[in-house]
Each structure stands twice: as C-alpha cells, then as structure tokens.
Amino acid sequence: MTVTAVEAPERPAHRDPNVLRWLGAYTASMVGDSIYFMALAWAAARTGSASGTGLVLAAGSIPRALLMLGGGVLADRLGPRRVVIGSDAARAVLVLGLAATLVLTAPTVGVLVAVALLFGAVDALFLPAVGALPPRISPPGQLARIQGLRGLAARGASIVGAPLGGVAVATGGPVLAFATAGALFALSLPLLLGLRIRPLPGPPVKHGGTVAGDHEERPVTEEAPTARQDLVDGLRYIRRHPLLGPLMIVIGLSELGFVGPLNLGLILLSEQRGWGAAGMGWIVAGFASGAAGAALLIAVRGRVPRAGLVMCLTVLVGATGIAAVAQIPSVPLAAATAAAVGLFIGLAGALCGALVQTAADPAYLGRVTSVSTLFTYALIPLSYPATGAAIALWGTGPVYAVSAAVCAAGGAVGLTFTALRRAELPR
C-alpha cells in the first residue's frame, strides 16, 4: 500500500511568527522614519534659513533617485535580509551620531544636508531590499495578506510617528527626536536577525569550477556578470515580462497623478479654501482611514479574485475621487471623499504589490522592487516644484483634474494588457 504525503496547510501570515518578526521590524523602521523626518524639519527650521530648510528637506530625494536601482542589484546579489540589516544598522548609527553631535553644537544647514544625503543613500538600499523580503519569509499564497499587513503597518507608523516625533521635539528638541528614531532603527535589528529565510529557486550558484543547480552540477563557462550587467539584465527582464512591464506603467502613471495632489496639493488647497491645518488634518485622516481599511481587507481575505482587473478598476475609481476633492466646498465632504480615495487606491496598491512579488522571478525581485519603489520614493517627489508652480498659475481645480486624468490613465492602460487583466494571485 502506498502512503501519499499530505502537505500541511499554510499558516496565515498574521499567525506566522516569522512574518510577525518581519512586520515588527518594518513597523519600527517606519515609525523611526516618521520621527526622523519630523526632527530633520524642525532642526532645519531652527537654522533660521527658509531656503536652507527647503534644501535640507529636498536633499534626501537626490541619492534615492540616483542609487535606488543599484540598491535593487545589491539586494539580488547579497540577499535582501543582509541588505536590510546593514542599511538599518547604518541608519541607526547615522541618526544617533547626529543626536550626539547636536548635544555639543547647534545644527547647521551644511551638517543637516550631509545627513539627509547619507540617509537618502542608505534608504536607496533599504527600500528595495525590504520590499523583496516577503517571498523569502512566507509561501506565495500569503503574499497578498503580507501586503495588507504592510499597509496597516505603514499607516499606523504615520499615525503614531508624527505625534511621537512632535512630543519628542517639544520635550527634548531635535536631539531627543533623533535619538528616539535611532533607537527604533536599532530595535529592528534583532527582529531581522531572527528571520528564517525560505530557500527559493534562483539562478545557479557558483562553487569553484562548477555551477550547482537544483539537481546537478555543470561546468562554469562564463564569468560572473558585473553590477552594471545585472542592472541592464534586470531592466530587460522587466521590459520583456508580460505582466511586470505593464505593472510598472500602471505604478508610474498612478503614482504621478496621485502623490502630488495628496501631499503638496492638499496643503495649497487647504490654504485657498480657508480650511487651515485642522481641516487638512481631517482630510489626511480620512485618506489614511480608507487606506487602512483596504489594507485590513487584504490582510483578512488573503486573496481577491481577478486581482489584475480589480487593481486597474480601483485605480480608475480612485482617480475620480482625486478630481472631486478639489471641487468639494466643505471639510467633512472632502474628508469622506478622501477616505473613498484611500480605500480604492490603497486596495490597488496592495494588489499591485502582491502581483509584483508573485510574478517576479526570485533572482530578479530586488531589481524589480527597486524600479517600482523608484517612482514613489525618488522620482515623484521631484515633481513637487512643478505641481506648486502649476497650482500658482491655474489653481487647484485644473491641476487636480489633470492629476486625476494621469492617475486614471494608469488604470486604463493596464486594462489594455490581456496578461494584466487576467492576472490572478496564488491560492
């Protein structure tokens, strides 16, 4: 009689200690990020130079834009866990070192710009690697849940980090805030060191004069590729992939149309309408609650049927809400609309992240993640000056309408690709 082995059912991501360790480390890092940026803004403002403050806050975007793709190559070469641990350790040392420096001397624009540049460079390594970790710690069927949990952690970090940073600045100035951020970066390290990494199929690994595959060894006939060759190979892989190429187009267009109105545009809209900081706060809270609801939905369900089609449609629906926000006369209605935008765009973002991670070959995941992250954290912030200039010339209504059209174009273009419309997440 033959006995057939029965595979044990997958443990849900929210009950997996390995995933929870990663989630704890990620949350600590995100809260640390929020506190760091608030402390940097306050320290820059204390220099007394408005132009210097703007320079400090913009400086970190430059190395992110220049080095993000290289960070993806490094994550694929060394493994994402090593890169995440190294970059979080570097952030802890850098920020704690700045706190110690400010105990002895007042902040200067030059010092703060240097720190912002270094922090941005380390971020360019951290972001692709942390995005490439989920498939290494959980089976494919749980990746959508992990994206939901990650979204909840990111929203929670924003809600907790800003007030905590404000309390730290009010209590002990930027020194205490920087020290708190550095301590949180350091807190993530033991959690990351405790991660169990799943073996994944990938490119053959060289051992001396042979290449060890899954089942055999064969002679090495080619030299190891350079980092530049790895980068070109990764970009070519994305361009030729039937699903990843379209996904990058959707990400780029939707982020370009969405991030400007949410960040800089909302500040200017609140000023024009006389809503003030309190009104803007309610609108941001509405968006955050909607996005958190979408993340919770994905975390609980674990899978959405016809994920590619749903992702494109939710981008289209969310885009209409972006245009509507600039036309609404009252804060409560604007906050409710922002909540709807957060729900639909948040759902699209979680599904997009899960599709990227399940579609990409593990050997390319760091480079793929670096390209998708490049839009959000590096290139899109560089569009803020253009957004501000456009609002000054034409007002918030037309600029929000154009932004919504760009965002909607992402969803519409996605629908033209058969592979994306029919894309499904693993069961």
Side-chain angles (χ1 to χ4, degrees), residues 290-391:
L296 182 61
L297 175 66
I298 292 292
V300 171
R301 284 187 59 88
R303 185 179 181 275
V304 173
R306 307 192 71 178
L309 177 62
V310 172
M311 184 201 73
C312 294
L313 293 177
T314 50
V315 169
L316 288 170
V317 176
T320 62
I322 293 172
V325 168
Q327 307 301 326
I328 293 174
S330 68
V331 171
L333 282 176
T337 304
V341 172
L343 177 65
F344 286 104
I345 295 294
L347 182 58
L351 291 175
C352 187
L355 286 169
V356 166
Q357 295 198 340
T358 54
D361 186 293
Y364 290 93
L365 191 53
R367 282 163 284 180
V368 172
T369 306
S370 72
V371 173
S372 63
T373 308
L374 181 69
F375 293 111
T376 306
Y377 290 94
L379 298 182
I380 302 303
L382 298 179
S383 70
Y384 289 168
T387 301
I391 289 176

Side-chain angles (χ1 to χ4, degrees), residues 162-194:
L164 186 58
V167 169
V169 169
T171 304
V175 172
L176 180 59
F178 281 125
T180 304
L184 285 166
F185 294 141
L187 176 64
S188 71
L189 295 177
L191 295 171
L192 292 169
L193 288 168

Side-chain angles (χ1 to χ4, degrees), residues 40-337:
L40 188 69
W42 276 98
R46 288 191 176 185
T47 64
S49 168
S51 60
T53 300
L55 180 62
V56 170
L57 297 180
S61 296
I62 298 171
R64 287 190 194 95
L66 295 176
L67 302 176
M68 188 77 75
L69 297 181
V73 172
L74 196 64
D76 286 336
R77 285 191 154 217
L78 302 181
R81 185 177 71 158
R82 289 182 182 179
V83 177
V84 169
I85 290 172
S87 55
D88 245 1
R91 296 201 296 179
V93 170
L94 177 65
V95 176
L96 290 173
L98 177 60
T101 301
L102 295 184
V103 170
L104 305 174
T105 182
T108 65
V109 170
V111 169
L112 295 177
V113 166
V115 169
L117 288 170
L118 289 171
F119 194 92
V122 176
D123 251 5
L125 306 181
F126 173 82
L127 291 168
V130 78
L133 262 178
R136 308 290 181 108
I137 61 173
S138 182
Q142 296 301 314
L143 289 178
R145 273 201 174 95
I146 291 180
Q147 290 304 306
L149 292 171
R150 183 181 179 182
L152 283 173
R155 299 303 163 197
S158 298
I159 293 170
V160 172
L164 186 58
V167 169
V169 169
T171 304
V175 172
L176 180 59
F178 281 125
T180 304
L184 285 166
F185 294 141
L187 176 64
S188 71
L189 295 177
L191 295 171
L192 292 169
L193 288 168
L195 288 180
R196 299 189 309 276
I197 301 300
R198 293 168 54 87
L200 293 176
V205 181
K206 295 184 178 180
H207 294 292
T210 61
V211 175
D214 287 339
H215 305 292
E216 60 180 346
E217 292 192 348
R218 61 183 183 276
V220 174
T221 57
E222 297 180 359
E223 293 183 359
T226 64
R228 182 179 180 280
Q229 289 170 333
D230 275 348
L231 176 57
V232 172
D233 183 39
L235 295 176
R236 187 181 296 117
Y237 169 76
I238 293 171
R239 179 172 60 84
R240 294 177 176 175
H241 196 284
L243 186 55
L244 293 176
L247 278 170
M248 296 304 145
I249 296 173
V250 174
I251 291 170
L253 288 173
S254 59
E255 290 286 347
L256 182 61
F258 170 70
V259 175
L262 177 68
N263 294 337
L264 178 62
L266 191 55
I267 296 171
L268 300 177
L269 178 65
S270 298
E271 285 184 353
Q272 289 182 6
R273 294 292 173 82
W275 292 342
M280 187 184 110
W282 280 109
I283 297 171
V284 172
F287 169 79
S289 63
L296 182 61
L297 175 66
I298 292 292
V300 171
R301 284 187 59 88
R303 185 179 181 275
V304 173
R306 307 192 71 178
L309 177 62
V310 172
M311 184 201 73
C312 294
L313 293 177
T314 50
V315 169
L316 288 170
V317 176
T320 62
I322 293 172
V325 168
Q327 307 301 326
I328 293 174
S330 68
V331 171
L333 282 176
T337 304

